[in-house]
Amino acid sequence: MNLVMALAAVGTAPATVTAPTTTTPTADPRHCCTHLSQLSTHLRSLVSQPTAANNADLRAHEKMGLPPPALVGLAHLVRLYDRRDLLDMVSSWSHHRSPAVRAATLWTWTTLDRSWAPKLLRQALDDPSAAVRKRAHTLIVSYPDPRLEAHLLRHLAAGEASAVTALTAVATPMSLDALRDPSSGISPPDAARLLWALLHRPEWAAPEDRTWMERELSRHISAGRQGAP
């Protein structure tokens, strides 16, 4: 427990704190990393061996407060060991201040309880952190929902290239309309990526639309070559 308390004090301090005095010692990062490694090993042993005692110990650690890196690792462990009985604990981190923790929570929660995926992914697309939105883009491939298409097109227009991955899974004629619209805000490189990805879906779009897509992709490629140094 002393190890957890020390790490919690280092990793979960509030955003606003009183400036330390000149007599306050500075923590050695190497010392903190060593403790974090030891804590991660201990958490893995608790998650991988689901006994009543280990479960109680694990939840006690979490209630005392763990630093963000430990929470990220714990979320991944819960997913990897399929510990659905711990999902109530992990789900409580969905609004954590750390984007890395929110992203890890999203991944674990949607994996262990698919029924939450639509709601969680919609919320994640509005997350202020690009890291969380990128994780959502990746997960949408496994949980495709065409209702997210308009949102993803806005992300692509804002320059979030990872939205292409998700759009490939949910695209409808709405995406084709956006690609045809010069005012959509989608950059030529991102348009080319989306065209390339959609053309790899042989069932997607009518023959005449695919002809336009192929022609448009060739135009983007030619323009890129001409603009290259």
Side-chain angles (χ1 to χ4, degrees), residues 131-219:
V132 178
R133 297 194 301 273
K134 186 174 182 179
R135 173 57 62 189
H137 295 160
T138 303
L139 289 169
I140 287 171
V141 176
S142 300
Y143 312 99
D145 184 350
R147 293 173 297 179
L148 302 178
E149 184 178 17
H151 214 139
L152 292 168
L153 286 169
R154 290 195 294 272
H155 283 194
L156 191 61
E160 297 187 39
S162 59
V164 169
T165 303
L167 278 167
T168 305
V170 304
T172 70
M174 181 191 299
S175 290
L176 187 58
D177 291 341
L179 289 168
R180 291 181 185 272
D181 183 2
S183 65
S184 66
I186 301 175
S187 69
D190 285 338
R193 292 187 188 98
L194 183 55
L195 286 165
W196 178 273
L198 292 176
L199 283 169
H200 277 74
R201 290 179 55 184
E203 82 291 351
W204 200 86
E208 59 271 20
D209 289 327
R210 293 183 68 85
T211 297
W212 176 86
M213 292 166 65
E214 291 170 353
R215 187 168 59 248
E216 188 69 3
L217 178 59
S218 296
R219 184 179 70 81

Side-chain angles (χ1 to χ4, degrees), residues 65-77:
L66 294 170
L71 289 177
V72 170
L74 183 53
H76 291 323
L77 289 171

Side-chain angles (χ1 to χ4, degrees), residues 12-56:
T12 61
T16 302
V17 298
T18 304
T21 65
T22 55
T23 58
T24 301
T26 302
D28 185 342
R30 293 170 298 179
H31 186 61
C32 295
C33 288
T34 299
H35 279 187
L36 184 59
S37 177
Q38 293 172 349
L39 176 60
S40 297
T41 300
H42 182 55
L43 293 176
R44 178 180 287 274
S45 70
L46 296 178
V47 175
S48 63
Q49 302 173 43
T51 65
N54 282 350
N55 289 348

